[in-house]
Amino acid sequence: MKKPVLPVLLLTAAAVLGGCGGSSESKQAASEAVSAASVNDNVTDEITESEGTVESYPDDDVLETENFVVNSDSAPTTSEEPQAGSFDSFVSLGSYDGLEIQAEAGTAIESGMTANIDYVGKIGGTEYEGGSGSRYDYMVGLSMFGEDFDKALTGHKAGDTFTVSISYPGDYYDDVLAGQTVDFDVTVNAVYITTPDVALMNVVENSTVLQYPSSLVDALKAQYLAQFRSENFDESAAESALIEENGFPTEDEFDAFIRSNVKNQLVYLAMMDKEGITKDSDTFAAARVDALTRNGLASSVSEALSGGYTELDIDLMAEEYLAQQILASKAAS
């Protein structure tokens, strides 16, 4: 099991950057951290055909700093520890009352919507490794699998099935797909106006940090630095060198990135607090396992820990997962 960089900010970006031939872990992470909202499991027998091509992708081996979303607020840092019922002194939550996630029954897919799909990609009639996905949230309009895949999805509704043929150029970044024509069998499970993960990003954006607990800032910073150091052969490397090597030109930019992640965590914890969910509850314990299994990372906490994840990694994923589930339940009620 390969341990990725902490997935606090970049789960959705991983789905976009991964493409249909990218990391199965990234795609699974983006697709499986999905709503408790119901989906339409009825599948029609109608099969339609469409064809298209995709352009080649540039090499994106290094994620540049400008792709990170960072906040530059001036909220102070405090030694005060967040306690149950006290989160309103740390963060002012953005409203999520009256949230709509799933589109009304019969809604046709349009650009800007998200289709929850099952898909199987075949080359020459044979499914290729990494070419299938279940309950994958496909954001229409971003050309995640190519512009023609988006066009093929447009107009379909929950319950539809169809096949689309995509021709990949010879210089496509994925060697398995380069120069190949892939037939994708697609089932649309549900159509979303937005999804819990995107809705959660909006809640975070509309929330304001009043003060940053130093305990959370220090813990997350130490976690990132430890991972940077573990991936660097020079154990004696200076902290500033590690930060620069991992895409942050200055320590100030790295600190802003850490604060952005802590803002996310504060929002998740405040939402949990609002719903009466504590980190010592059975609900949180179950979420730690659910977040791992739904993201396809591990089948248990012990397996995740033995594979290189830390308790903080697992807590962060569980907090994000619970916040998404809170939004999904609010939208469904």
Side-chain angles (χ1 to χ4, degrees):
M1 182 195 320
K2 183 179 178 182
K3 177 183 177 298
V5 172
L6 287 171
V8 184
L9 273 177
L10 303 177
L11 278 180
T12 303
V16 178
L17 295 173
C20 61
S23 163
S24 59
E25 278 191 1
S26 296
K27 291 189 295 183
Q28 193 76 3
S31 64
E32 291 299 322
V34 73
S35 67
S38 61
V39 297
N40 186 345
D41 292 324
N42 298 320
V43 178
T44 66
D45 293 326
E46 177 186 1
I47 302 292
T48 61
E49 299 286 341
S50 62
E51 297 182 354
T53 59
V54 298
E55 299 298 325
S56 59
Y57 284 77
D59 291 331
D60 280 322
D61 293 334
V62 178
L63 190 61
E64 298 294 344
T65 305
E66 59 262 25
N67 288 323
F68 292 118
V69 179
V70 298
N71 65 294
S72 57
D73 66 66
S74 57
T77 301
T78 177
S79 60
E80 182 182 347
E81 290 285 339
Q83 304 291 335
S86 72
F87 278 90
D88 57 357
S89 67
F90 291 90
V91 61
S92 175
L93 273 179
S95 175
Y96 49 88
D97 294 332
L99 180 70
E100 292 185 359
I101 291 181
Q102 192 162 338
E104 294 183 3
T107 298
I109 297 170
E110 299 177 3
S111 181
M113 293 182 177
T114 295
N116 183 272
I117 62 173
D118 298 337
Y119 66 91
V120 177
K122 299 177 181 178
I123 299 175
T126 302
E127 181 180 346
Y128 67 93
E129 184 177 357
S132 63
S134 177
R135 294 179 59 81
Y136 183 81
D137 282 338
Y138 188 94
M139 291 172 276
V140 182
L142 297 182
S143 299
M144 295 164 68
F145 291 5
E147 182 180 351
D148 289 288
F149 196 97
D150 288 35
K151 290 178 180 178
L153 270 173
T154 301
H156 280 288
K157 304 173 183 178
D160 286 356
T161 65
F162 66 93
T163 297
V164 56
S165 295
I166 305 291
S167 296
Y168 292 91
D171 59 351
Y172 191 64
Y173 75 96
D174 188 323
D175 292 339
V176 174
L177 301 183
Q180 300 288 339
T181 296
V182 181
D183 296 319
F184 288 99
D185 295 328
V186 182
T187 297
V188 181
N189 299 314
V191 178
Y192 298 116
I193 299 171
T194 184
T195 54
D197 55 330
V198 174
L200 183 56
M201 290 170 62
N202 290 331
V203 173
V204 170
E205 183 178 351
N206 293 321
S207 298
T208 303
V209 175
L210 306 176
Q211 53 182 349
Y212 287 93
S214 58
S215 59
L216 298 186
V217 173
D218 293 344
L220 198 59
K221 184 174 182 178
Q223 179 89 336
Y224 269 101
L225 289 173
Q227 183 161 324
F228 292 168
R229 193 170 296 281
S230 71
E231 295 169 352
N232 188 293
F233 293 107
D234 183 3
E235 290 295 325
S236 63
E239 182 177 299
S240 57
L242 289 173
I243 290 172
E244 184 176 355
E245 184 177 321
N246 282 274
F248 300 94
T250 68
E251 292 187 43
D252 285 345
E253 288 183 86
F254 177 63
D255 288 342
F257 173 69
I258 293 296
R259 285 163 69 92
S260 289
N261 279 270
V262 173
K263 177 183 179 180
N264 289 3
Q265 188 181 12
L266 280 172
V267 170
Y268 307 157
L269 291 170
M271 291 174 65
M272 289 167 50
D273 186 57
K274 188 176 179 180
E275 301 301 319
I277 302 171
T278 61
K279 293 184 70 170
D280 61 356
S281 65
D282 291 341
T283 299
F284 189 75
R288 279 162 55 89
V289 177
D290 288 345
L292 291 168
T293 56
R294 285 174 178 260
N295 290 345
L297 302 176
S299 59
S300 66
V301 170
S302 59
E303 181 185 336
L305 292 172
S306 65
Y309 289 89
T310 67
E311 292 285 355
L312 179 57
D313 289 331
I314 298 169
D315 279 356
L316 290 170
M317 285 186 278
E319 290 157 10
E320 182 178 32
Y321 169 74
L322 275 172
Q324 290 175 354
Q325 296 305 298
I326 290 169
L327 293 183
S329 65
K330 294 294 183 183
S333 62

